[in-house]
Amino acid sequence: MPSVLRRLSRAIQGAPIATGHARNERLNVLFALPTFASDALSSVAYATESILLVLLVAGSSALQQVVPISLGIALLMAIVAISYRQTIFAYPGGGGSYTVASDNLGPLAGMIAGASLIIGYIMTVAVSEVAGVLAITSAFPDLAPYRIHITAGLTGVIALVNLRGMKESGFAFALPTYSFVLLVGALVVMGIYQVLTGSIHPVPEPSAHLPEQPMSLDWFLWLRAFTAGCAALTGVEAISNGVPAFRAPEAQNAAKTLTAMAVICVFLFIGVSVVTKALHVVPIHEGAIGYQTTLSMIAKGIAGDGLFYYLVQFATMAILVLAANTAFADFPRVTSFLARDGYLPRQLGMMGDRLVFHWGILLLTIISVGLIYLFQGEIHLLLPLYAGSVFIAFSMSQYGMVLRWRRLGKNRGNMMLNLVGALATTIVGLVFLITKFKEGAYLVPIIGAGLVATFIGIRRHYSYHEAQTQPKDFSIPKTPVSTVLVLVPRIHLGVLPAINYARSIGLDCRGIHVSIDPAKVADMKADWARYQFDIPLVILDSPYRTLVDPILEYVDETLRENPDNWLTVIVPEAVPSKWWQSILHNNSAFPIKLALAKRKKVVITNVRYHLT
């Protein structure tokens, strides 16, 4: 069985990559953009719609505010992007918000930032996959009944590609990412051209989706719309987390990629908002009759429902699905930093044979797919958890950089820029928490607090373990006296090596036979005498026909007799030539090892005999 699994793993993941070849696996700017920026780029597909859905309660005239709100969000995006550029050069080892907060605000702040990043990346996978499938079902409604299963399947595919390595995922996702950028960019250019030439034709307003009694557009509603549109900022921090994945010079290439991402996102986001306003698009709530995404309506309004429309829909689906790739690239890195500092299990800090943090990828996949099924693929239930956690990380990073500049006593301009960004992201985060509280945003601080408590508990365990295992002095301990018990179910060729091994490691050796059937005890003693073993045979009665309990009782009795001694229990174990043959053998090694695992001063050793 292990060899079958190993071959299957090799077929899926590919051949191992030597540590010395790690530099060859790093990404240049061209392939780093689809790897780390797909989440940020994908927000173009739904950020404008998020603004419109909030403004809609004030009537169709309020929808004209989409452009000034988008310009304000674009300005905030620029501030956050500049801040993360500073982070890249200040912390080229990666870690982003977690590293900045830990270094400047303290361990607790670092844990809060780390928890928010973990929540954000998990929700990135769930939201982006659901949104991607939603985009394609807008064009092909017949697929709607199967969207949850399609979503889970696509998540698994992206996980498998990432298990093959960072470089391969960059290659695999480059074409879909750049296709989306070019197609939506072309759509924006066509739309702006029609606006300038006066040839644009507004789409019909679906009156059924307009409110009967519109609210007034006050400052709080405007701020709510601004907050909803700040979904465009999700994923901006990703590049700063993964600086070590870039080719040398790492910081410079990461900064170039971040700049390119910010420029593309701002252009596409503002462009889509401008065209949306010109077309007088009225958004339709998800689940409503005739639902289409806003981007779908724009594509039809600008280019009709021909080939170009379907290309845009497929590209939108692809980028939304691939937005999860940002999380798959960054979640394992963030968890590896937390594991390095003792806040998460150390396995998450270990690279696999393809030079990726494979345990992090697997953990992210399991949790994300679980959420997709738990929330039945309803994106409006997932979004409050998604965006709410992102702004915590943004704010922690911004405040951390403010304190860094203050400590260094220079770059006052940068400090003021970060302060403005910190205040803006804090306000956005608070508004989001208040307005989306009943819809599920209240879960963000609860889950975050639970994660922080988990971090503290894990760190406390590792600290306790380190204190317990720290040598009190450096003298060489005396060689302990060891009693060796070799378990003998019956005399056969497979047991003989175990008996010989027992004799080689201890002076006090004993054969242990548990008598399930009293009628066979005489035969067992006769066989033992026939082989003339020079160690005694101990027969343990088992009136209740259990194998483990008599062994435990004898082990405990032996330990009480000599509490300073070590006890070695040797368990013979058959290894069949075919994996399926193991079900034909009554191997009791595992339950015995499990039962003895918590006994102090007890060493359990398997002596395997191979069947041909």
Side-chain angles (χ1 to χ4, degrees):
M1 185 65 173
S3 60
V4 174
L5 291 175
R6 193 176 297 111
R7 287 196 294 269
L8 180 62
S9 175
R10 288 284 175 267
I12 294 173
Q13 295 187 59
I17 302 172
T19 303
H21 296 161
R23 288 187 174 276
N24 298 332
E25 295 300 305
R26 295 186 179 185
L27 302 171
N28 58 21
V29 174
L30 182 66
F31 293 107
L33 191 69
T35 300
F36 289 104
S38 54
D39 183 19
L41 292 171
S42 70
S43 64
V44 173
Y46 54 80
T48 299
E49 181 174 312
S50 298
I51 299 172
L52 295 174
L53 287 171
V54 176
L55 294 175
L56 186 61
V57 298
S60 59
S61 60
L63 299 180
Q64 302 302 304
Q65 292 294 314
V66 67
V67 172
I69 291 174
S70 298
L71 289 172
I73 294 170
L75 177 61
L76 180 58
M77 183 188 295
I79 293 172
V80 172
I82 292 170
S83 174
Y84 279 113
R85 269 185 62 95
Q86 296 167 350
T87 301
I88 287 170
F89 289 108
Y91 299 94
S97 299
Y98 168 69
T99 303
V100 174
S102 298
D103 187 46
N104 299 286
L105 301 174
L108 180 60
M111 286 187 278
I112 294 172
S116 65
L117 286 172
I118 285 176
I119 297 170
Y121 286 135
I122 291 171
M123 301 313 300
T124 293
V125 176
V127 168
S128 60
E129 297 303 288
V130 169
V133 174
L134 195 62
I136 204 62
T137 54
S138 290
F140 299 99
D142 292 342
L143 295 176
Y146 312 102
R147 63 191 180 92
I148 298 176
H149 305 305
I150 295 172
T151 304
L154 289 173
T155 304
V157 170
I158 293 180
L160 289 176
V161 174
N162 277 274
L163 284 171
R164 293 186 63 87
M166 183 78 68
K167 191 173 182 179
E168 292 205 22
S169 65
F171 289 166
F173 301 141
L175 180 60
T177 302
Y178 287 117
S179 296
F180 173 80
V181 171
L182 292 175
L183 285 168
V184 176
L187 186 67
V188 167
V189 171
M190 291 164 58
I192 293 176
Y193 175 79
Q194 292 180 13
V195 170
L196 295 176
T197 58
S199 58
I200 196 165
H201 301 288
V203 297
E205 290 187 354
S207 56
H209 300 286
L210 291 170
E212 295 180 1
Q213 295 181 334
M215 295 173 56
S216 60
L217 182 60
D218 57 14
W219 66 270
F220 188 70
L221 182 63
W222 197 94
L223 190 57
R224 280 183 57 196
F226 183 92
T227 301
C230 281
L233 274 69
T234 55
V236 173
E237 83 292 340
I239 294 172
S240 67
N241 288 324
V243 178
F246 286 80
R247 286 185 182 174
E250 293 85 351
Q252 286 83 343
N253 283 327
K256 289 178 183 177
T257 307
L258 178 59
T259 302
M261 177 194 72
V263 170
I264 294 171
C265 285
V266 167
F267 170 74
L268 294 181
F269 174 50
I270 294 178
V272 167
S273 296
V274 168
V275 175
T276 298
K277 177 183 176 181
L279 287 171
H280 300 288
V281 170
V282 175
I284 303 173
H285 284 275
E286 178 194 350
I289 297 174
Y291 173 75
Q292 286 189 71
T293 63
T294 297
L295 195 59
S296 172
M297 289 188 279
I298 292 172
K300 278 187 178 180
I302 296 296
D305 56 359
L307 176 62
F308 186 80
Y309 167 76
Y310 285 100
L311 288 175
V312 171
Q313 287 302 102
F314 275 113
T316 303
M317 181 207 70
I319 194 65
L320 287 169
V321 168
L322 296 185
N325 190 56
T326 296
F328 277 106
D330 266 7
F331 176 90
R333 290 188 174 274
V334 171
T335 53
S336 75
F337 284 113
L338 286 159
R340 176 201 63 189
D341 294 339
Y343 296 124
L344 283 176
R346 288 170 180 162
Q347 295 91 323
L348 291 169
M350 298 168 57
M351 274 195 171
D353 54 12
R354 292 291 294 181
L355 295 178
V356 293
F357 298 100
H358 60 291
W359 288 116
I361 293 173
L362 294 174
L363 179 63
L364 177 60
T365 306
I366 292 169
I367 297 175
S368 302
V369 170
L371 283 175
I372 290 168
Y373 279 101
L374 179 64
F375 288 95
Q376 289 295 294
E378 296 293 338
I379 196 167
H380 66 279
L381 297 177
L382 294 165
L383 276 173
L385 288 172
Y386 178 39
S389 60
V390 169
F391 286 98
I392 297 174
F394 283 166
S395 299
M396 301 295 283
S397 177
Q398 298 281 336
Y399 287 120
M401 290 303 293
V402 169
L403 290 182
R404 175 181 170 81
W405 297 129
R406 184 178 178 183
R407 187 178 71 248
L408 294 176
K410 58 181 181 180
N411 294 315
R412 188 174 180 82
N414 287 338
M415 185 176 73
M416 294 305 299
L417 182 73
N418 290 140
L419 183 59
V420 171
L423 294 174
T425 53
T426 300
I427 292 170
V428 169
L430 289 173
V431 172
F432 193 93
L433 181 64
I434 294 169
T435 57
K436 299 292 184 180
F437 189 82
K438 291 183 179 179
E439 298 176 29
Y442 68 90
L443 290 172
V444 173
I446 294 174
I447 297 172
L451 280 172
V452 170
T454 302
F455 297 159
I456 293 172
I458 292 173
R459 177 63 180 268
R460 185 176 296 154
H461 167 76
Y462 282 135
S463 298
Y464 171 79
H465 179 266
E466 185 177 350
Q468 288 286 306
T469 56
Q470 187 71 26
K472 302 299 184 293
D473 57 64
F474 294 94
S475 59
I476 300 174
K478 292 185 294 184
T479 303
V481 178
S482 178
T483 298
V484 183
L485 309 180
V486 55
L487 305 185
V488 185
R490 61 187 179 86
I491 304 298
H492 56 74
L493 289 177
V495 171
L496 298 181
I499 295 173
N500 286 330
Y501 178 71
R503 294 166 61 199
S504 71
I505 64 172
L507 298 176
D508 181 11
C509 297
R510 310 170 197 176
I512 304 296
H513 174 74
V514 179
S515 173
I516 304 294
D517 185 357
K520 296 181 179 180
V521 172
D523 293 337
M524 181 65 196
K525 290 181 177 179
D527 289 341
W528 190 264
R530 186 179 301 115
Y531 276 90
Q532 298 181 351
F533 294 118
D534 56 357
I535 63 174
L537 176 66
V538 179
I539 305 293
L540 303 178
D541 292 328
S542 180
Y544 298 104
R545 298 160 304 283
T546 174
L547 182 66
V548 175
D549 289 347
I551 294 173
L552 290 178
E553 291 174 7
Y554 188 79
V555 166
D556 291 339
E557 181 183 344
T558 305
L559 290 172
R560 283 193 296 270
E561 291 174 358
N562 300 289
D564 295 329
N565 285 8
W566 283 79
L567 188 63
T568 301
V569 180
I570 296 177
V571 186
E573 183 176 4
V575 180
S577 58
K578 300 290 190 296
W579 68 267
W580 56 268
Q581 294 172 345
S582 60
I583 62 177
L584 306 177
H585 294 268
N586 186 24
N587 267 325
S588 54
F590 179 74
I592 292 173
K593 288 190 289 185
L594 191 65
L596 291 171
K598 290 188 177 182
R599 294 298 193 278
K600 293 181 179 180
K601 290 198 169 185
V602 174
V603 179
I604 305 138
T605 302
N606 277 102
V607 176
R608 296 179 176 87
Y609 54 95
H610 296 263
L611 306 176
T612 58

